[in-house]
Structures are given as structure tokens and as C-alpha cells.
Amino acid sequence: MDYSEKISHQVAAIPRSGIRDFFELVQGRDDVISLGVGEPDFATPWHIREAAIYSLEKGYTSYTSNLGMPSLRKAISGYVEDFFKVGYDADSEVLVTVGVSEAIDLALRALLNPGDEVVFHTPCYVSYLPSIALAYGVPVEVPTTVEDNFALKADMLEAAITPKTRVLMLNFPTNPTGAVMPVDELEKIAELCVKHDLIVLSDEIYCELSYSDDEHVSITTMPGMRERTILLHGFSKAFAMTGFRLGYACAPSPLIEAMMKIHQYAMLCAPITSQAAALEALENGEAAMLEMKESYHQRRDFVVGRLNEMGIDCHSPGGAFYVFPDIRKFGLSSQEFAMRLLEAEDVAAVPGNAFGDAGEGFLRCCYATSFEELKTAMNRIERFIGTL
Ligand code: PLP
């Protein structure tokens, strides 16, 4: 059968993830140090795993409310109010999802009509562009630069806005650059959102992993923004819970209701075992989370220091667990650099152009890997650039 005739044009047009292509090459090679995969090297803290086990022991194996367990929604509402300084009603303004991934998909499908434009800053998380396209939207990239520490500039954003722009997607701290937003620039962006009547999808999945002394500030707290922001957050990164697949969206109830309509038919609810674990993370997980954060902070300083010392320009990212070194001076494309590094030294890092054209000339290295491996990886990278 010719399956190409059977696949929807929309899906056929989506390119494969550049990360996936690259990691297929890594498979089967021994002794590779991977700085590639964007997930914590810690197992989920034991007391959180235990809460999942207890919930199974107690026989909690049913569906939950479509929105998520009321106790979890209440805990999320409390956590969000403490952390972000903005209140959401646990009964009508919080939706528990299967990771932030599902929440992104639901929000875009709930908001977009065919042909609506969605503006987002690049380099960005690999799912944004395909998720917009799958929701029949038109992706519009706004490049950010190393000179601005990969923060989004309000004037660049305004130049990309057209009468068809409906949604702005933000992700700070950013995957892959670790960028954080200066508050004054974020305020200008908020003003633009109000002026152009945009809805903002603010993916703040790395918000706890911010290393500056200044507190993380969400755009939803800015004047006129709560009513037009869908705040997305989850448990994968700061609580090291990627495998539990749990996230959430907070927004005014008509937006949550629209997302819920899709969620109830596509997913029904998030898994109850994961919800029990997430509740424990929110109630008792802060100490373990802060310990992991401190460890990432130390590793960031080590990696940034080593890269700069060996002559690779690398800005010090304000958050997440990625560095995004500038490799342009070596005269190789991101793809060539990453391939040759892998071939010569068995170190896997992701070519920056996997995150959009604005990432060309850079590499993404995830430093959520052991200190020992990071040390070896840095020595190998140093040896590799010595041969260029
Ligand atoms: N958003 C960003 C910016 C990410 O980096 C990731 C995962 O890497 C996700 C969302 C997906 O997270 P989840 O595991 O909650 O689906």
C-alpha cells in the first residue's frame, strides 16, 4: 500500500525533529557522553516516588475528574499564588494535563482558526513550530541573538505582528538558550500584547531553575495580562519527574473550558498515579528541588567557565539546564561541528539549528549530567577544537 497517500497533508508536511535525527546516530555507539537529552539526571526524589507507590497500594487506579484531582488543583493554585504571585481558582481556572506538551497542544488547538498567526521567539523548544502547524496556525519566528543574551526584544516582536497575529508564545527561562527576560523588556512586551489584543501562551516550565538573585517574573502578573495569559507549568524539570508526564495550565475559566473540551475527549484525564506524586511534590518537594537546583547551578558555572577558558565563547545563561555556546569562529556549521565532535570524541551535543535558523552557529549542551562526565566531556571538547 502507498501509505504516503493515507497520511494527512498536515502531518506529512511536518519535518522530523533535528534532535531525533541526531540521536539516531548516537544510538549503538559505546562510550558516548551525551549532553543531548533535556532532562534531569536525578531520579525523582524518593518521597515523591513513594507517594505514587502508596496511591497504587491504596487501590487508587481510577479516572479522576477531567480537570484533575481537586486536591491537586488546590495545591497547584496555592503553589502558583506563592511562586508567581497571581491567583487562579482551583475549580475553574486550573487544568491538569499530560505534561506541558499536552497543554501546549490543547491551548493552540483551542485558540487558533486556520491561518491565524502565532509569534514565538527562536531558538526555541522543538515542539513549538510543529504544534502550531498541526493546529492549522501559521508560525512566525522572531529571532533572538546572543548579543541580547537571547532575550526577546519588544521592537523585534512588534515588527512581526500583523492583523492576523492571535497568539504570542513565550518560554523563559528558554530551552535551548537558558535565557531569562529582563523585567523592563517583558513589561514592554506585555504592553504590546494589550495593544494588539494577543493571547499569550507562557511556558514557564523552567521557572524554578533560575539562577539570578532576581525573582522569576511571569508576564501574567503585568497590567492587563492575567486575562490574556495561559500560564503553562509542570513537574518534569524542577522536580525531575519527566516520566510521570504531568503538567498544568492556569488561565481564565473560558480558556480553561475550551482546552478542557479537547482534553476530555483526547485524554480524559492525566494518570491518577502521577497526580498523587505531583501532589506530594507540591506539598513536600521544595527541599529536594532546591538541592537539585543548587547542583545545576554549580554545573552551569563549571561548564561556562571551562568553555570560555578553552576559547569557546559561551554566555552564562540565567536559567534552565542548558548552555548554548557560540561555535561560529571555527568555520563549521552547527551540524558539521556536532557530527565531527561525535565522530572524533564521542561527545553528543545538539546542533543549534535544530531549534530554528536563529540557532545556527551554536550548540546546545545540557549540563544535567554528572560532574565526572561533564569534566570528561569538556576535556574531549578542548581536544577536539585543538584539531580544528
Ligand atoms: N516546554 C519546554 C520549553 C520544554 O523544554 C519541554 C521539554 O523539554 C516541554 C515543554 C515539555 O515538557 P513536559 O515533559 O512537561 O511535556
Side-chain angles (χ1 to χ4, degrees):
M1 186 182 287
D2 180 2
Y3 289 103
S4 62
E5 290 296 308
K6 305 289 181 200
I7 308 292
S8 97
H9 297 159
Q10 198 73 7
V11 171
I14 301 285
R16 280 160 55 97
S17 155
I19 297 191
R20 190 170 139 196
D21 281 350
F22 189 70
F23 279 90
E24 276 176 12
L25 295 169
V26 174
Q27 300 286 318
R29 293 177 72 107
D30 297 332
D31 199 31
V32 171
I33 297 182
S34 177
L35 308 179
V37 184
E39 69 176 326
D41 60 328
F42 297 104
T44 307
W46 173 242
H47 67 100
I48 299 176
R49 285 183 268 160
E50 223 169 22
I53 296 165
Y54 285 153
S55 90
L56 288 169
E57 279 181 355
K58 286 181 202 142
Y60 295 155
T61 55
S62 60
Y63 294 133
T64 68
S65 148
N66 294 133
L67 286 169
M69 294 189 323
S71 53
L72 176 59
R73 278 185 274 135
K74 202 159 174 261
I76 289 171
S77 166
Y79 182 83
V80 166
E81 182 143 20
D82 276 359
F83 190 89
F84 296 95
K85 314 281 181 280
V86 55
Y88 289 96
D89 176 47
D91 292 330
S92 60
E93 296 185 316
V94 177
L95 172 64
V96 178
T97 57
V98 179
V100 171
S101 303
E102 192 213 351
I104 292 170
D105 180 50
L106 294 178
L108 290 168
R109 286 204 277 159
L111 294 170
L112 299 180
N113 289 307
D116 287 344
E117 291 178 3
V118 180
V119 187
F120 58 104
H121 53 101
T122 57
C124 72
Y125 179 45
V126 289
S127 89
Y128 288 0
L129 192 146
S131 300
I132 295 164
L134 287 168
Y136 298 93
V138 178
V140 178
E141 298 184 29
V142 181
T144 60
T145 63
V146 68
E147 290 74 23
D148 296 321
N149 288 328
F150 296 103
L152 175 60
K153 301 298 283 181
D155 53 350
M156 293 284 284
L157 171 63
E158 185 150 39
I161 294 173
T162 76
K164 288 190 174 169
T165 310
R166 293 281 313 282
V167 175
L168 166 66
M169 289 180 82
L170 293 177
N171 170 225
F172 293 103
T174 310
N175 174 5
T177 59
V180 295
M181 271 303 282
V183 174
D184 53 346
E185 200 65 23
L186 196 61
E187 277 166 352
K188 288 188 205 156
I189 288 168
E191 282 164 21
L192 284 179
C193 294
V194 174
K195 179 172 156 197
H196 294 277
D197 195 20
L198 306 183
I199 295 283
V200 176
L201 273 192
S202 190
D203 175 352
E204 303 188 35
I205 191 166
Y206 295 100
C207 63
E208 290 91 352
L209 304 179
S210 175
Y211 310 115
S212 83
D213 293 337
D214 306 326
E215 277 188 13
H216 172 85
V217 176
S218 172
I219 197 165
T220 186
T221 58
M222 294 180 169
M225 291 309 296
R226 186 191 179 284
E227 63 176 346
R228 59 179 68 253
T229 302
I230 302 179
L231 173 65
L232 306 178
H233 194 17
F235 297 86
S236 288
K237 310 294 176 174
F239 292 103
M241 290 176 65
T242 49
F244 283 89
R245 309 304 308 121
L246 215 75
Y248 53 89
C250 298
S253 60
L255 298 177
I256 290 294
E257 189 55 32
M259 290 170 68
M260 225 278 283
K261 272 191 185 168
I262 310 170
H263 172 76
Q264 70 186 353
Y265 296 123
M267 213 58 70
L268 215 154
C269 65
I272 190 168
T273 317
S274 300
Q275 294 193 53
L279 183 59
E280 173 65 18
L282 292 183
E283 286 179 345
N284 298 305
E286 193 184 12
M289 186 262 282
L290 291 176
E291 222 173 280
M292 291 188 275
K293 174 181 171 180
E294 178 52 29
S295 159
Y296 296 136
H297 193 163
Q298 287 171 7
R299 289 184 252 178
R300 179 202 68 168
D301 290 348
F302 169 72
V303 170
V304 170
R306 274 296 277 126
L307 288 170
N308 282 305
E309 184 186 280
M310 70 177 83
I312 300 183
D313 300 328
C314 183
H315 78 292
S316 183
F321 39 51
Y322 309 103
V323 290
F324 207 59
D326 184 343
I327 47 140
R328 288 175 293 187
K329 70 175 173 200
F330 299 105
L332 300 175
S333 70
S334 294
Q335 199 79 27
E336 284 166 337
F337 190 98
M339 283 300 303
R340 285 179 55 179
L341 176 62
L342 178 65
E343 292 293 336
E345 291 289 350
D346 281 321
V347 174
V350 186
N353 65 333
F355 308 95
D357 292 344
E360 180 50 55
F362 295 80
L363 271 194
R364 187 191 78 172
C365 304
C366 173
Y367 55 79
T369 191
S370 73
F371 245 114
E372 276 319 299
E373 288 210 312
L374 286 176
K375 281 183 196 155
T376 311
M378 292 303 124
N379 293 341
R380 291 183 185 183
I381 292 174
E382 186 166 30
R383 198 160 57 200
F384 171 67
I385 60 168
T387 66
L388 295 179

